[in-house]
Amino acid sequence: MSDTTFVYVTYIATTPEKLWEALTSTEFTEQYFFGSKIESDWQEGSSVTYSRNGKVTDYGTVLKAEPHRLLSFTWTYVGDNTVREQPTRVTFELKPMGTTVKLTLKHDKLLPSDIVEKDDTFEGYNNGWPAVMSNLKTLLETGATLPVVTV
């Protein structure tokens, strides 16, 4: 059992409703999440899938879904062959602060090998999530995503 956790906090000039929509709808995730489509009915116990080019890349089960406030689900990366006692867990907490929303992403139940101490890659949750969250923030604040970055 591991207690490795990755936390990322950002402040986005948007509403909790718009941010919730961006986190839970394919219309948005395809734009900011490396082209990933997200599918779920967002009911506790329901499945969540991310897919690219028609293939599921990540999947999980909804643990909590409190619209515009909290979203949590298990997370399994299809390409991960690491032996795990349990899937990892992703939680998004949305906190309105005037015309801004504080978004806290917490990815826990990680193994030390899930963290990649290199700065020239999107490998590792500590490198991938900041790229995704920066792209999400930029999309919601400007209407466009960041230019493609090659590492």
Side-chain angles (χ1 to χ4, degrees):
M1 186 73 116
S2 175
D3 62 357
T4 301
T5 299
F6 176 77
V7 177
Y8 187 87
V9 177
T10 189
Y11 296 82
I12 305 174
T14 191
T15 64
E17 294 80 9
K18 194 69 168 180
L19 180 52
W20 181 266
E21 182 182 7
L23 292 170
T24 61
S25 75
T26 287
E27 174 188 347
F28 282 94
T29 60
E30 280 187 302
Q31 294 179 69
Y32 72 82
F33 204 123
F34 303 114
S36 296
K37 293 183 177 188
I38 192 168
E39 292 185 56
S40 182
D41 65 9
W42 303 112
Q43 301 300 308
E44 290 180 18
S46 293
S47 67
V48 179
T49 60
Y50 287 84
S51 59
R52 282 185 221 120
N53 303 316
K55 295 182 180 179
V56 173
T57 57
D58 308 274
Y59 64 90
T61 302
V62 177
L63 301 171
K64 281 191 174 185
E66 299 172 16
H68 317 135
R69 193 177 105 45
L70 183 75
L71 180 62
S72 183
F73 48 90
T74 61
W75 181 282
T76 301
Y77 169 53
V78 171
D80 181 14
N81 296 320
T82 306
V83 175
R84 298 176 185 272
E85 293 179 22
Q86 60 188 343
T88 66
R89 178 177 56 198
V90 173
T91 302
F92 297 100
E93 183 179 357
L94 292 67
K95 181 178 180 185
M97 302 179 79
T99 58
T100 299
V101 178
K102 178 182 178 183
L103 174 61
T104 303
L105 159 74
K106 180 178 170 184
H107 197 150
D108 62 351
K109 301 186 178 183
L110 299 172
L111 299 174
S113 60
D114 292 324
I115 304 300
V116 176
E117 297 299 338
K118 293 178 4 183
D119 63 2
D120 61 348
T121 182
F122 291 129
E123 291 178 43
Y125 294 116
N126 58 310
N127 293 311
W129 278 123
V132 170
M133 294 294 98
S134 295
N135 216 11
L136 167 63
K137 175 180 170 63
T138 300
L139 176 61
L140 289 174
E141 292 181 344
T142 70
T145 56
L146 293 168
V148 175
V149 176
T150 305
V151 290

